[in-house]
PDB file of all heavy atoms in Angstrom:
ATOM      1  N   PHE A 152     -25.802 -44.445  44.665  1.00  0.00           N
ATOM      2  CA  PHE A 152     -26.654 -44.134  45.801  1.00  0.00           C
ATOM      3  C   PHE A 152     -25.771 -43.890  47.055  1.00  0.00           C
ATOM      4  O   PHE A 152     -25.944 -43.011  47.771  1.00  0.00           O
ATOM      5  CB  PHE A 152     -27.644 -45.278  46.118  1.00  0.00           C
ATOM      6  CG  PHE A 152     -28.452 -45.106  47.364  1.00  0.00           C
ATOM      7  CD1 PHE A 152     -29.489 -44.190  47.474  1.00  0.00           C
ATOM      8  CD2 PHE A 152     -28.040 -45.881  48.482  1.00  0.00           C
ATOM      9  CE1 PHE A 152     -30.177 -44.100  48.619  1.00  0.00           C
ATOM     10  CE2 PHE A 152     -28.714 -45.737  49.684  1.00  0.00           C
ATOM     11  CZ  PHE A 152     -29.792 -44.856  49.745  1.00  0.00           C
ATOM     12  N   ALA A 153     -24.803 -44.844  47.317  1.00  0.00           N
ATOM     13  CA  ALA A 153     -23.947 -44.820  48.456  1.00  0.00           C
ATOM     14  C   ALA A 153     -23.121 -43.507  48.407  1.00  0.00           C
ATOM     15  O   ALA A 153     -22.987 -42.849  49.392  1.00  0.00           O
ATOM     16  CB  ALA A 153     -23.008 -45.959  48.425  1.00  0.00           C
ATOM     17  N   LEU A 156     -25.312 -40.406  49.068  1.00  0.00           N
ATOM     18  CA  LEU A 156     -25.666 -40.336  50.487  1.00  0.00           C
ATOM     19  C   LEU A 156     -24.563 -39.733  51.386  1.00  0.00           C
ATOM     20  O   LEU A 156     -24.750 -38.902  52.154  1.00  0.00           O
ATOM     21  CB  LEU A 156     -26.115 -41.760  51.041  1.00  0.00           C
ATOM     22  CG  LEU A 156     -26.488 -41.803  52.483  1.00  0.00           C
ATOM     23  CD1 LEU A 156     -27.878 -41.088  52.666  1.00  0.00           C
ATOM     24  CD2 LEU A 156     -26.519 -43.246  52.894  1.00  0.00           C
ATOM     25  N   VAL A 157     -23.327 -40.295  51.116  1.00  0.00           N
ATOM     26  CA  VAL A 157     -22.193 -39.799  51.921  1.00  0.00           C
ATOM     27  C   VAL A 157     -21.857 -38.406  51.562  1.00  0.00           C
ATOM     28  O   VAL A 157     -21.558 -37.618  52.489  1.00  0.00           O
ATOM     29  CB  VAL A 157     -20.977 -40.809  51.653  1.00  0.00           C
ATOM     30  CG1 VAL A 157     -19.683 -40.204  52.284  1.00  0.00           C
ATOM     31  CG2 VAL A 157     -21.263 -42.208  52.162  1.00  0.00           C
ATOM     32  N   LEU A 160     -24.433 -36.122  53.312  1.00  0.00           N
ATOM     33  CA  LEU A 160     -24.252 -36.078  54.792  1.00  0.00           C
ATOM     34  C   LEU A 160     -22.974 -35.239  55.101  1.00  0.00           C
ATOM     35  O   LEU A 160     -22.943 -34.414  55.996  1.00  0.00           O
ATOM     36  CB  LEU A 160     -24.145 -37.440  55.446  1.00  0.00           C
ATOM     37  CG  LEU A 160     -25.409 -38.276  55.431  1.00  0.00           C
ATOM     38  CD1 LEU A 160     -25.108 -39.663  56.005  1.00  0.00           C
ATOM     39  CD2 LEU A 160     -26.454 -37.547  56.357  1.00  0.00           C
ATOM     40  N   VAL A 178     -19.302 -35.426  66.000  1.00  0.00           N
ATOM     41  CA  VAL A 178     -20.612 -35.848  65.469  1.00  0.00           C
ATOM     42  C   VAL A 178     -20.433 -36.916  64.430  1.00  0.00           C
ATOM     43  O   VAL A 178     -21.097 -38.052  64.457  1.00  0.00           O
ATOM     44  CB  VAL A 178     -21.395 -34.678  64.893  1.00  0.00           C
ATOM     45  CG1 VAL A 178     -22.676 -35.172  64.280  1.00  0.00           C
ATOM     46  CG2 VAL A 178     -21.689 -33.669  66.064  1.00  0.00           C
ATOM     47  N   LEU A 179     -19.485 -36.772  63.481  1.00  0.00           N
ATOM     48  CA  LEU A 179     -19.278 -37.748  62.388  1.00  0.00           C
ATOM     49  C   LEU A 179     -18.805 -39.067  62.941  1.00  0.00           C
ATOM     50  O   LEU A 179     -19.143 -40.141  62.435  1.00  0.00           O
ATOM     51  CB  LEU A 179     -18.293 -37.114  61.380  1.00  0.00           C
ATOM     52  CG  LEU A 179     -18.887 -36.039  60.465  1.00  0.00           C
ATOM     53  CD1 LEU A 179     -17.855 -35.545  59.501  1.00  0.00           C
ATOM     54  CD2 LEU A 179     -20.146 -36.556  59.760  1.00  0.00           C
ATOM     55  N   GLU A 180     -17.973 -39.077  63.995  1.00  0.00           N
ATOM     56  CA  GLU A 180     -17.445 -40.348  64.540  1.00  0.00           C
ATOM     57  C   GLU A 180     -18.549 -41.124  65.211  1.00  0.00           C
ATOM     58  O   GLU A 180     -18.473 -42.334  65.271  1.00  0.00           O
ATOM     59  CB  GLU A 180     -16.274 -40.106  65.486  1.00  0.00           C
ATOM     60  CG  GLU A 180     -15.019 -39.602  64.821  1.00  0.00           C
ATOM     61  CD  GLU A 180     -14.300 -40.658  63.941  1.00  0.00           C
ATOM     62  OE1 GLU A 180     -14.808 -41.775  63.876  1.00  0.00           O
ATOM     63  OE2 GLU A 180     -13.224 -40.375  63.371  1.00  0.00           O
ATOM     64  N   THR A 181     -19.554 -40.417  65.722  1.00  0.00           N
ATOM     65  CA  THR A 181     -20.687 -41.176  66.366  1.00  0.00           C
ATOM     66  C   THR A 181     -21.422 -41.913  65.258  1.00  0.00           C
ATOM     67  O   THR A 181     -22.099 -42.917  65.508  1.00  0.00           O
ATOM     68  CB  THR A 181     -21.592 -40.280  67.169  1.00  0.00           C
ATOM     69  OG1 THR A 181     -22.329 -39.384  66.271  1.00  0.00           O
ATOM     70  CG2 THR A 181     -20.938 -39.481  68.236  1.00  0.00           C
ATOM     71  N   ILE A 182     -21.329 -41.436  64.052  1.00  0.00           N
ATOM     72  CA  ILE A 182     -21.981 -42.037  62.916  1.00  0.00           C
ATOM     73  C   ILE A 182     -21.099 -43.102  62.368  1.00  0.00           C
ATOM     74  O   ILE A 182     -21.524 -44.222  62.001  1.00  0.00           O
ATOM     75  CB  ILE A 182     -22.266 -41.058  61.786  1.00  0.00           C
ATOM     76  CG1 ILE A 182     -23.296 -39.990  62.249  1.00  0.00           C
ATOM     77  CG2 ILE A 182     -22.918 -41.761  60.491  1.00  0.00           C
ATOM     78  CD1 ILE A 182     -24.603 -40.427  62.562  1.00  0.00           C
ATOM     79  N   ALA A 183     -19.781 -42.820  62.263  1.00  0.00           N
ATOM     80  CA  ALA A 183     -18.825 -43.754  61.622  1.00  0.00           C
ATOM     81  C   ALA A 183     -18.699 -45.040  62.387  1.00  0.00           C
ATOM     82  O   ALA A 183     -18.305 -46.070  61.872  1.00  0.00           O
ATOM     83  CB  ALA A 183     -17.420 -43.066  61.503  1.00  0.00           C
ATOM     84  N   ALA A 184     -19.024 -44.972  63.697  1.00  0.00           N
ATOM     85  CA  ALA A 184     -18.831 -46.259  64.549  1.00  0.00           C
ATOM     86  C   ALA A 184     -20.022 -47.169  64.363  1.00  0.00           C
ATOM     87  O   ALA A 184     -20.037 -48.254  64.893  1.00  0.00           O
ATOM     88  CB  ALA A 184     -18.663 -45.859  66.009  1.00  0.00           C
ATOM     89  N   VAL A 185     -21.106 -46.785  63.578  1.00  0.00           N
ATOM     90  CA  VAL A 185     -22.308 -47.574  63.519  1.00  0.00           C
ATOM     91  C   VAL A 185     -22.201 -48.730  62.412  1.00  0.00           C
ATOM     92  O   VAL A 185     -22.543 -49.843  62.759  1.00  0.00           O
ATOM     93  CB  VAL A 185     -23.472 -46.703  63.166  1.00  0.00           C
ATOM     94  CG1 VAL A 185     -24.691 -47.509  62.731  1.00  0.00           C
ATOM     95  CG2 VAL A 185     -23.825 -45.860  64.347  1.00  0.00           C
ATOM     96  N   PRO A 186     -21.708 -48.459  61.189  1.00  0.00           N
ATOM     97  CA  PRO A 186     -21.735 -49.514  60.192  1.00  0.00           C
ATOM     98  C   PRO A 186     -20.973 -50.821  60.495  1.00  0.00           C
ATOM     99  O   PRO A 186     -21.463 -51.839  60.194  1.00  0.00           O
ATOM    100  CB  PRO A 186     -21.072 -48.827  58.913  1.00  0.00           C
ATOM    101  CG  PRO A 186     -21.315 -47.341  59.109  1.00  0.00           C
ATOM    102  CD  PRO A 186     -21.276 -47.170  60.640  1.00  0.00           C
ATOM    103  N   GLY A 187     -19.899 -50.698  61.156  1.00  0.00           N
ATOM    104  CA  GLY A 187     -19.065 -51.922  61.530  1.00  0.00           C
ATOM    105  C   GLY A 187     -19.913 -52.839  62.467  1.00  0.00           C
ATOM    106  O   GLY A 187     -20.021 -54.047  62.190  1.00  0.00           O
ATOM    107  N   MET A 188     -20.578 -52.245  63.442  1.00  0.00           N
ATOM    108  CA  MET A 188     -21.353 -52.970  64.369  1.00  0.00           C
ATOM    109  C   MET A 188     -22.587 -53.488  63.720  1.00  0.00           C
ATOM    110  O   MET A 188     -22.991 -54.726  63.987  1.00  0.00           O
ATOM    111  CB  MET A 188     -21.652 -52.147  65.609  1.00  0.00           C
ATOM    112  CG  MET A 188     -22.305 -52.946  66.749  1.00  0.00           C
ATOM    113  SD  MET A 188     -21.226 -54.288  67.317  1.00  0.00           S
ATOM    114  CE  MET A 188     -20.009 -53.313  68.299  1.00  0.00           C
ATOM    115  N   VAL A 189     -23.224 -52.746  62.902  1.00  0.00           N
ATOM    116  CA  VAL A 189     -24.471 -53.310  62.190  1.00  0.00           C
ATOM    117  C   VAL A 189     -24.064 -54.452  61.228  1.00  0.00           C
ATOM    118  O   VAL A 189     -24.761 -55.391  61.183  1.00  0.00           O
ATOM    119  CB  VAL A 189     -25.029 -52.109  61.298  1.00  0.00           C
ATOM    120  CG1 VAL A 189     -26.039 -52.694  60.353  1.00  0.00           C
ATOM    121  CG2 VAL A 189     -25.766 -51.047  62.228  1.00  0.00           C
ATOM    122  N   ALA A 190     -22.980 -54.249  60.491  1.00  0.00           N
ATOM    123  CA  ALA A 190     -22.588 -55.352  59.578  1.00  0.00           C
ATOM    124  C   ALA A 190     -22.137 -56.557  60.358  1.00  0.00           C
ATOM    125  O   ALA A 190     -22.465 -57.683  59.938  1.00  0.00           O
ATOM    126  CB  ALA A 190     -21.389 -54.807  58.720  1.00  0.00           C
ATOM    127  N   LEU A 239     -28.155 -33.332  68.285  1.00  0.00           N
ATOM    128  CA  LEU A 239     -27.824 -33.845  66.893  1.00  0.00           C
ATOM    129  C   LEU A 239     -27.275 -35.228  66.897  1.00  0.00           C
ATOM    130  O   LEU A 239     -27.761 -36.058  66.064  1.00  0.00           O
ATOM    131  CB  LEU A 239     -26.852 -32.861  66.248  1.00  0.00           C
ATOM    132  CG  LEU A 239     -26.629 -32.907  64.866  1.00  0.00           C
ATOM    133  CD1 LEU A 239     -27.869 -32.581  64.069  1.00  0.00           C
ATOM    134  CD2 LEU A 239     -25.505 -31.979  64.362  1.00  0.00           C
ATOM    135  N   ILE A 240     -26.430 -35.551  67.838  1.00  0.00           N
ATOM    136  CA  ILE A 240     -25.869 -36.891  67.912  1.00  0.00           C
ATOM    137  C   ILE A 240     -27.077 -37.926  68.127  1.00  0.00           C
ATOM    138  O   ILE A 240     -27.068 -38.949  67.556  1.00  0.00           O
ATOM    139  CB  ILE A 240     -24.832 -36.999  68.991  1.00  0.00           C
ATOM    140  CG1 ILE A 240     -23.552 -36.304  68.616  1.00  0.00           C
ATOM    141  CG2 ILE A 240     -24.580 -38.412  69.442  1.00  0.00           C
ATOM    142  CD1 ILE A 240     -22.543 -36.053  69.693  1.00  0.00           C
ATOM    143  N   LEU A 241     -27.978 -37.544  69.076  1.00  0.00           N
ATOM    144  CA  LEU A 241     -29.077 -38.403  69.423  1.00  0.00           C
ATOM    145  C   LEU A 241     -29.957 -38.720  68.174  1.00  0.00           C
ATOM    146  O   LEU A 241     -30.276 -39.877  67.936  1.00  0.00           O
ATOM    147  CB  LEU A 241     -29.830 -37.785  70.558  1.00  0.00           C
ATOM    148  CG  LEU A 241     -30.776 -38.587  71.380  1.00  0.00           C
ATOM    149  CD1 LEU A 241     -29.993 -39.637  72.209  1.00  0.00           C
ATOM    150  CD2 LEU A 241     -31.590 -37.668  72.314  1.00  0.00           C
ATOM    151  N   LEU A 242     -30.341 -37.642  67.504  1.00  0.00           N
ATOM    152  CA  LEU A 242     -31.188 -37.746  66.301  1.00  0.00           C
ATOM    153  C   LEU A 242     -30.500 -38.488  65.257  1.00  0.00           C
ATOM    154  O   LEU A 242     -31.066 -39.433  64.600  1.00  0.00           O
ATOM    155  CB  LEU A 242     -31.600 -36.357  65.850  1.00  0.00           C
ATOM    156  CG  LEU A 242     -32.564 -35.556  66.777  1.00  0.00           C
ATOM    157  CD1 LEU A 242     -32.720 -34.158  66.208  1.00  0.00           C
ATOM    158  CD2 LEU A 242     -33.833 -36.287  66.987  1.00  0.00           C
ATOM    159  N   ALA A 243     -29.243 -38.185  64.933  1.00  0.00           N
ATOM    160  CA  ALA A 243     -28.451 -38.837  63.907  1.00  0.00           C
ATOM    161  C   ALA A 243     -28.290 -40.299  64.155  1.00  0.00           C
ATOM    162  O   ALA A 243     -28.483 -41.024  63.270  1.00  0.00           O
ATOM    163  CB  ALA A 243     -27.143 -38.159  63.752  1.00  0.00           C
ATOM    164  N   GLN A 244     -28.033 -40.663  65.373  1.00  0.00           N
ATOM    165  CA  GLN A 244     -27.898 -42.154  65.672  1.00  0.00           C
ATOM    166  C   GLN A 244     -29.206 -42.830  65.449  1.00  0.00           C
ATOM    167  O   GLN A 244     -29.185 -43.965  64.881  1.00  0.00           O
ATOM    168  CB  GLN A 244     -27.377 -42.298  67.096  1.00  0.00           C
ATOM    169  CG  GLN A 244     -27.094 -43.735  67.393  1.00  0.00           C
ATOM    170  CD  GLN A 244     -26.519 -44.047  68.822  1.00  0.00           C
ATOM    171  OE1 GLN A 244     -27.294 -44.278  69.714  1.00  0.00           O
ATOM    172  NE2 GLN A 244     -25.277 -43.896  68.945  1.00  0.00           N
ATOM    173  N   GLY A 245     -30.241 -42.284  65.946  1.00  0.00           N
ATOM    174  CA  GLY A 245     -31.539 -42.971  65.768  1.00  0.00           C
ATOM    175  C   GLY A 245     -31.915 -43.151  64.318  1.00  0.00           C
ATOM    176  O   GLY A 245     -32.326 -44.248  63.887  1.00  0.00           O
ATOM    177  N   LEU A 246     -31.710 -42.178  63.529  1.00  0.00           N
ATOM    178  CA  LEU A 246     -32.072 -42.233  62.106  1.00  0.00           C
ATOM    179  C   LEU A 246     -31.030 -43.054  61.365  1.00  0.00           C
ATOM    180  O   LEU A 246     -31.518 -43.980  60.617  1.00  0.00           O
ATOM    181  CB  LEU A 246     -31.976 -40.739  61.536  1.00  0.00           C
ATOM    182  CG  LEU A 246     -32.538 -40.508  60.151  1.00  0.00           C
ATOM    183  CD1 LEU A 246     -34.032 -40.888  60.113  1.00  0.00           C
ATOM    184  CD2 LEU A 246     -32.360 -39.096  59.751  1.00  0.00           C
ATOM    185  N   PHE A 247     -29.759 -42.895  61.594  1.00  0.00           N
ATOM    186  CA  PHE A 247     -28.727 -43.533  60.804  1.00  0.00           C
ATOM    187  C   PHE A 247     -28.647 -45.059  61.164  1.00  0.00           C
ATOM    188  O   PHE A 247     -28.575 -45.898  60.231  1.00  0.00           O
ATOM    189  CB  PHE A 247     -27.395 -42.921  61.014  1.00  0.00           C
ATOM    190  CG  PHE A 247     -26.331 -43.554  60.159  1.00  0.00           C
ATOM    191  CD1 PHE A 247     -26.313 -43.224  58.769  1.00  0.00           C
ATOM    192  CD2 PHE A 247     -25.390 -44.424  60.588  1.00  0.00           C
ATOM    193  CE1 PHE A 247     -25.368 -43.908  57.884  1.00  0.00           C
ATOM    194  CE2 PHE A 247     -24.428 -45.068  59.781  1.00  0.00           C
ATOM    195  CZ  PHE A 247     -24.446 -44.723  58.385  1.00  0.00           C
ATOM    196  N   TYR A 248     -28.759 -45.374  62.470  1.00  0.00           N
ATOM    197  CA  TYR A 248     -28.628 -46.845  62.835  1.00  0.00           C
ATOM    198  C   TYR A 248     -29.696 -47.620  62.195  1.00  0.00           C
ATOM    199  O   TYR A 248     -29.509 -48.691  61.507  1.00  0.00           O
ATOM    200  CB  TYR A 248     -28.666 -46.985  64.374  1.00  0.00           C
ATOM    201  CG  TYR A 248     -28.603 -48.467  64.734  1.00  0.00           C
ATOM    202  CD1 TYR A 248     -27.306 -49.021  64.983  1.00  0.00           C
ATOM    203  CD2 TYR A 248     -29.691 -49.257  64.785  1.00  0.00           C
ATOM    204  CE1 TYR A 248     -27.261 -50.421  65.256  1.00  0.00           C
ATOM    205  CE2 TYR A 248     -29.604 -50.670  65.131  1.00  0.00           C
ATOM    206  CZ  TYR A 248     -28.320 -51.196  65.364  1.00  0.00           C
ATOM    207  OH  TYR A 248     -28.219 -52.489  65.622  1.00  0.00           O
ATOM    208  N   ASN A 249     -30.964 -47.126  62.312  1.00  0.00           N
ATOM    209  CA  ASN A 249     -32.150 -47.894  61.774  1.00  0.00           C
ATOM    210  C   ASN A 249     -32.149 -47.907  60.316  1.00  0.00           C
ATOM    211  O   ASN A 249     -32.354 -48.991  59.639  1.00  0.00           O
ATOM    212  CB  ASN A 249     -33.419 -47.296  62.291  1.00  0.00           C
ATOM    213  CG  ASN A 249     -33.592 -47.599  63.770  1.00  0.00           C
ATOM    214  OD1 ASN A 249     -33.816 -48.700  64.179  1.00  0.00           O
ATOM    215  ND2 ASN A 249     -33.445 -46.562  64.621  1.00  0.00           N
ATOM    216  N   THR A 250     -31.812 -46.796  59.591  1.00  0.00           N
ATOM    217  CA  THR A 250     -31.671 -46.823  58.165  1.00  0.00           C
ATOM    218  C   THR A 250     -30.550 -47.705  57.684  1.00  0.00           C
ATOM    219  O   THR A 250     -30.826 -48.524  56.710  1.00  0.00           O
ATOM    220  CB  THR A 250     -31.486 -45.350  57.672  1.00  0.00           C
ATOM    221  OG1 THR A 250     -32.511 -44.504  58.208  1.00  0.00           O
ATOM    222  CG2 THR A 250     -31.452 -45.316  56.098  1.00  0.00           C
ATOM    223  N   HIS A 251     -29.420 -47.637  58.330  1.00  0.00           N
ATOM    224  CA  HIS A 251     -28.289 -48.415  57.858  1.00  0.00           C
ATOM    225  C   HIS A 251     -28.595 -49.926  58.064  1.00  0.00           C
ATOM    226  O   HIS A 251     -28.135 -50.711  57.266  1.00  0.00           O
ATOM    227  CB  HIS A 251     -27.052 -47.966  58.540  1.00  0.00           C
ATOM    228  CG  HIS A 251     -25.798 -48.466  57.880  1.00  0.00           C
ATOM    229  ND1 HIS A 251     -25.338 -48.018  56.731  1.00  0.00           N
ATOM    230  CD2 HIS A 251     -24.949 -49.596  58.195  1.00  0.00           C
ATOM    231  CE1 HIS A 251     -24.222 -48.610  56.288  1.00  0.00           C
ATOM    232  NE2 HIS A 251     -24.010 -49.588  57.178  1.00  0.00           N
ATOM    233  N   PHE A 252     -29.290 -50.215  59.166  1.00  0.00           N
ATOM    234  CA  PHE A 252     -29.600 -51.628  59.473  1.00  0.00           C
ATOM    235  C   PHE A 252     -30.458 -52.197  58.285  1.00  0.00           C
ATOM    236  O   PHE A 252     -30.147 -53.333  57.826  1.00  0.00           O
ATOM    237  CB  PHE A 252     -30.311 -51.741  60.779  1.00  0.00           C
ATOM    238  CG  PHE A 252     -30.586 -53.180  61.212  1.00  0.00           C
ATOM    239  CD1 PHE A 252     -29.758 -53.943  61.983  1.00  0.00           C
ATOM    240  CD2 PHE A 252     -31.805 -53.820  60.831  1.00  0.00           C
ATOM    241  CE1 PHE A 252     -29.962 -55.224  62.343  1.00  0.00           C
ATOM    242  CE2 PHE A 252     -32.067 -55.074  61.136  1.00  0.00           C
ATOM    243  CZ  PHE A 252     -31.137 -55.831  61.954  1.00  0.00           C
ATOM    244  N   LEU A 253     -31.423 -51.491  57.897  1.00  0.00           N
ATOM    245  CA  LEU A 253     -32.302 -51.944  56.806  1.00  0.00           C
ATOM    246  C   LEU A 253     -31.521 -52.079  55.505  1.00  0.00           C
ATOM    247  O   LEU A 253     -31.660 -53.037  54.753  1.00  0.00           O
ATOM    248  CB  LEU A 253     -33.462 -50.960  56.684  1.00  0.00           C
ATOM    249  CG  LEU A 253     -34.524 -51.045  57.784  1.00  0.00           C
ATOM    250  CD1 LEU A 253     -35.496 -49.951  57.672  1.00  0.00           C
ATOM    251  CD2 LEU A 253     -35.153 -52.439  57.888  1.00  0.00           C
ATOM    252  N   ILE A 254     -30.720 -51.058  55.256  1.00  0.00           N
ATOM    253  CA  ILE A 254     -29.850 -51.120  53.994  1.00  0.00           C
ATOM    254  C   ILE A 254     -28.939 -52.319  54.057  1.00  0.00           C
ATOM    255  O   ILE A 254     -28.840 -53.136  53.019  1.00  0.00           O
ATOM    256  CB  ILE A 254     -29.026 -49.854  53.849  1.00  0.00           C
ATOM    257  CG1 ILE A 254     -29.958 -48.622  53.528  1.00  0.00           C
ATOM    258  CG2 ILE A 254     -28.000 -50.010  52.720  1.00  0.00           C
ATOM    259  CD1 ILE A 254     -29.192 -47.299  53.512  1.00  0.00           C
ATOM    260  N   CYS A 255     -28.364 -52.572  55.203  1.00  0.00           N
ATOM    261  CA  CYS A 255     -27.415 -53.723  55.280  1.00  0.00           C
ATOM    262  C   CYS A 255     -28.141 -55.069  55.218  1.00  0.00           C
ATOM    263  O   CYS A 255     -27.599 -56.058  54.784  1.00  0.00           O
ATOM    264  CB  CYS A 255     -26.636 -53.633  56.633  1.00  0.00           C
ATOM    265  SG  CYS A 255     -25.202 -54.619  56.697  1.00  0.00           S
ATOM    266  N   THR A 261     -24.449 -52.367  49.250  1.00  0.00           N
ATOM    267  CA  THR A 261     -24.652 -50.935  49.357  1.00  0.00           C
ATOM    268  C   THR A 261     -24.142 -50.462  50.780  1.00  0.00           C
ATOM    269  O   THR A 261     -23.476 -49.429  50.849  1.00  0.00           O
ATOM    270  CB  THR A 261     -26.098 -50.559  49.195  1.00  0.00           C
ATOM    271  OG1 THR A 261     -26.570 -51.163  47.989  1.00  0.00           O
ATOM    272  CG2 THR A 261     -26.315 -49.053  49.212  1.00  0.00           C
ATOM    273  N   ALA A 262     -24.456 -51.223  51.827  1.00  0.00           N
ATOM    274  CA  ALA A 262     -23.988 -50.825  53.117  1.00  0.00           C
ATOM    275  C   ALA A 262     -22.480 -50.702  53.208  1.00  0.00           C
ATOM    276  O   ALA A 262     -22.006 -49.781  53.798  1.00  0.00           O
ATOM    277  CB  ALA A 262     -24.589 -51.815  54.197  1.00  0.00           C
ATOM    278  N   HIS A 263     -21.752 -51.698  52.691  1.00  0.00           N
ATOM    279  CA  HIS A 263     -20.269 -51.670  52.819  1.00  0.00           C
ATOM    280  C   HIS A 263     -19.820 -50.535  51.858  1.00  0.00           C
ATOM    281  O   HIS A 263     -18.743 -49.942  52.222  1.00  0.00           O
ATOM    282  CB  HIS A 263     -19.715 -52.951  52.422  1.00  0.00           C
ATOM    283  CG  HIS A 263     -19.905 -54.025  53.537  1.00  0.00           C
ATOM    284  ND1 HIS A 263     -19.166 -53.854  54.692  1.00  0.00           N
ATOM    285  CD2 HIS A 263     -20.798 -55.004  53.649  1.00  0.00           C
ATOM    286  CE1 HIS A 263     -19.508 -54.946  55.532  1.00  0.00           C
ATOM    287  NE2 HIS A 263     -20.491 -55.609  54.865  1.00  0.00           N
ATOM    288  N   ILE A 265     -21.336 -47.694  51.359  1.00  0.00           N
ATOM    289  CA  ILE A 265     -21.516 -46.474  52.144  1.00  0.00           C
ATOM    290  C   ILE A 265     -20.365 -46.359  53.098  1.00  0.00           C
ATOM    291  O   ILE A 265     -19.776 -45.255  53.304  1.00  0.00           O
ATOM    292  CB  ILE A 265     -22.865 -46.492  52.849  1.00  0.00           C
ATOM    293  CG1 ILE A 265     -23.989 -46.407  51.791  1.00  0.00           C
ATOM    294  CG2 ILE A 265     -23.021 -45.502  53.925  1.00  0.00           C
ATOM    295  CD1 ILE A 265     -25.369 -46.721  52.482  1.00  0.00           C
ATOM    296  N   ALA A 266     -20.048 -47.442  53.881  1.00  0.00           N
ATOM    297  CA  ALA A 266     -18.996 -47.383  54.863  1.00  0.00           C
ATOM    298  C   ALA A 266     -17.597 -47.037  54.216  1.00  0.00           C
ATOM    299  O   ALA A 266     -16.802 -46.304  54.763  1.00  0.00           O
ATOM    300  CB  ALA A 266     -18.854 -48.686  55.566  1.00  0.00           C
ATOM    301  N   GLY A 267     -17.393 -47.528  52.998  1.00  0.00           N
ATOM    302  CA  GLY A 267     -16.145 -47.249  52.251  1.00  0.00           C
ATOM    303  C   GLY A 267     -16.064 -45.846  51.878  1.00  0.00           C
ATOM    304  O   GLY A 267     -14.998 -45.120  52.046  1.00  0.00           O
ATOM    305  N   PHE A 269     -17.744 -43.366  53.387  1.00  0.00           N
ATOM    306  CA  PHE A 269     -17.545 -42.650  54.679  1.00  0.00           C
ATOM    307  C   PHE A 269     -16.045 -42.530  54.969  1.00  0.00           C
ATOM    308  O   PHE A 269     -15.573 -41.454  55.434  1.00  0.00           O
ATOM    309  CB  PHE A 269     -18.300 -43.265  55.742  1.00  0.00           C
ATOM    310  CG  PHE A 269     -19.673 -42.707  56.071  1.00  0.00           C
ATOM    311  CD1 PHE A 269     -20.724 -43.556  56.289  1.00  0.00           C
ATOM    312  CD2 PHE A 269     -19.823 -41.328  56.174  1.00  0.00           C
ATOM    313  CE1 PHE A 269     -21.992 -43.015  56.478  1.00  0.00           C
ATOM    314  CE2 PHE A 269     -21.106 -40.817  56.436  1.00  0.00           C
ATOM    315  CZ  PHE A 269     -22.177 -41.636  56.648  1.00  0.00           C
TER     316      PHE A 269
END
Side-chain angles (χ1 to χ4, degrees):
F152 170 80
L156 179 71
V157 170
L160 289 174
V178 174
L179 288 179
E180 290 291 0
T181 68
I182 299 293
V185 168
M188 190 58 76
V189 167
L239 195 61
I240 287 168
L241 200 65
L242 293 174
Q244 184 177 93
L246 190 62
F247 185 75
Y248 180 89
N249 289 292
T250 304
H251 196 75
F252 184 90
L253 290 173
I254 292 172
C255 196
T261 306
H263 285 287
I265 289 169
F269 262 135

